[in-house]
Amino acid sequence: MNSSICCCIPLPKVLSVAADNAGMNKIQAQTLLESADAAAMADVSTKYGYYDPDSKEHGDVYWRTFIHKLAQQAPHMKLPDLMELTHS
């Protein structure tokens, strides 16, 4: 996963997803973060042909995709909460 994760980014709400994530466990949170990371890297690679974690342009695309994926799957959770759950 991208090592420059900022744990202070709140996830935007996605109104079309009404799932209650209060019961998410550690494995589900880890899987969600890994899936969002893979989707973000794939999106950057598709757009630019490769993924450079030090590139601002790549980072912007990465974070938009990463946060969007998390917001779709866990609209009621914030990134710090997911990170804390994965490290519990």
Side-chain angles (χ1 to χ4, degrees):
M1 186 181 307
N2 190 334
S3 62
S4 63
I5 291 177
C6 175
C7 295
C8 300
I9 300 172
L11 298 177
K13 290 185 179 182
V14 177
L15 300 177
S16 62
V17 179
D20 179 15
N21 295 300
M24 184 177 284
N25 65 35
K26 179 178 182 171
I27 301 299
Q28 290 169 322
Q30 287 172 334
T31 301
L32 175 57
L33 289 173
E34 290 169 5
S35 173
D37 179 58
M41 284 193 284
D43 196 30
V44 172
S45 295
T46 298
K47 183 169 183 158
Y48 295 104
Y50 65 100
Y51 173 61
D52 177 4
D54 296 323
S55 166
K56 181 179 178 348
E57 289 177 327
H58 292 206
D60 290 345
V61 173
Y62 175 93
W63 281 111
R64 276 195 305 273
T65 303
F66 184 82
I67 296 301
H68 180 73
K69 175 82 170 172
L70 293 180
Q72 285 180 322
Q73 300 298 318
H76 303 297
M77 296 188 79
K78 293 183 179 179
L79 183 55
D81 299 331
L82 286 168
M83 296 295 290
E84 183 178 335
L85 184 56
T86 63
H87 296 293
S88 63

